[in-house]
Amino acid sequence: MENNTRPNKAEEMFLNLAYNRFYDLYEEIMEDSFWDKDSYYRFTKINSMFTVYAELLNYEPLKHVIKIIELKRPPMESNIAKELFKFIRNTMAHFPFFDSWNEVYVNKEIINWYKKGMMIDKFLISYEGKEEVKYRFWHSKKKSMTYLSIKFPTSYTAGENIYLKDILNEKEGIEFASILMKKVLDTQVIENS
């Protein structure tokens, strides 16, 4: 009889490494002093956080969490927690030519240089012209509310550069992304008393 208990031994090893790394990055990014660091330092940490999160989304129970978010949370939250964050991760991973968040861009030609219809291309085709999504989040340490907008490209045509900073600004956008990612990942954490 096969043991289907989750997590299995391999998953547990992976999850321990990934969760520890994610929470370390989260804690650092949420500190005010993080934003005083140079842009390259910030970019490497942000890139790592999106990479770890995207890898964790391969864990089957987290796929179910995304489906629950789709059913029970405000419209677009599951799309942002999965598709937008994977788009950002894939953009940084497949086009590692930049040293800061504000420099990162893609365009239709670069995205499709090798093959059309891959994840980044599909995302931009799907979200081209979609209305911006407005969010707010509470900073418990600062006792303040932050407001932000996620803006999808108005067009995805040849010759037009699409910057990550125009979709999600660096400081508030990354803090928001960090909080949403953490909420998704926290669903699989058993707290010890």
Side-chain angles (χ1 to χ4, degrees):
M1 187 159 144
E2 190 175 319
N3 182 359
N4 289 324
T5 303
R6 283 286 174 62
N8 63 37
K9 186 173 171 81
E11 289 171 336
E12 189 173 334
M13 291 169 60
F14 172 78
L15 291 170
N16 281 330
L17 288 170
Y19 267 79
N20 286 337
R21 179 66 174 152
F22 178 86
Y23 286 135
D24 287 347
L25 291 164
Y26 174 85
E27 291 300 323
E28 182 174 4
I29 286 169
M30 295 306 289
E31 288 295 324
D32 286 338
S33 59
F34 177 76
W35 302 102
D36 296 330
K37 308 268 186 198
D38 72 78
S39 59
Y40 180 73
Y41 179 86
R42 291 192 316 265
F43 185 63
T44 59
K45 297 297 182 169
I46 292 165
N47 192 348
S48 292
M49 184 184 65
F50 277 96
T51 300
V52 170
Y53 178 77
E55 290 301 319
L56 280 164
L57 287 183
N58 292 317
Y59 181 50
E60 191 67 33
L62 287 172
K63 291 177 184 180
H64 295 289
V65 170
I66 296 293
K67 286 181 185 172
I68 292 167
I69 291 171
E70 188 176 324
L71 297 172
K72 303 209 180 236
R73 297 289 303 149
M76 292 292 290
E77 193 165 307
S78 69
N79 303 64
I80 290 164
K82 181 181 178 190
E83 294 174 21
L84 175 62
F85 294 166
K86 278 192 170 186
F87 160 77
I88 290 170
R89 179 263 176 209
N90 287 348
T91 298
M92 292 188 291
H94 295 294
F95 306 103
F97 315 125
F98 306 100
D99 291 329
S100 74
W101 180 262
N102 290 336
E103 292 175 2
V104 181
Y105 74 89
V106 290
N107 60 46
K108 197 166 198 159
E109 293 83 4
I110 293 170
I111 290 167
N112 294 311
W113 77 271
Y114 172 67
K115 185 178 179 183
K116 288 184 179 186
M118 302 303 283
M119 187 276 170
I120 297 170
D121 190 40
K122 285 180 183 175
F123 176 86
L124 290 171
I125 289 168
S126 250
Y127 287 89
E128 175 184 16
K130 292 262 190 209
E131 284 188 39
E132 72 181 280
V133 179
K134 296 183 181 211
Y135 275 98
R136 66 178 185 217
F137 60 93
W138 178 251
H139 278 282
S140 55
K141 286 183 183 178
K142 298 177 193 175
K143 305 284 188 234
S144 67
M145 189 73 73
T146 298
Y147 297 85
L148 76 140
S149 293
I150 297 170
K151 298 175 186 161
F152 300 103
T154 53
S155 69
Y156 176 50
T157 58
E160 288 188 41
N161 292 340
I162 297 168
Y163 285 84
L164 288 185
K165 69 177 181 169
D166 295 335
I167 296 172
L168 195 64
N169 73 36
E170 186 183 13
K171 185 178 186 302
E172 293 81 9
I174 298 306
E175 287 177 339
F176 163 77
S178 301
I179 290 168
L180 184 53
M181 289 178 199
K182 185 177 181 295
K183 282 183 181 178
V184 170
L185 298 179
D186 282 352
T187 63
Q188 302 305 302
V189 174
I190 299 170
E191 295 196 58
N192 294 330
S193 300

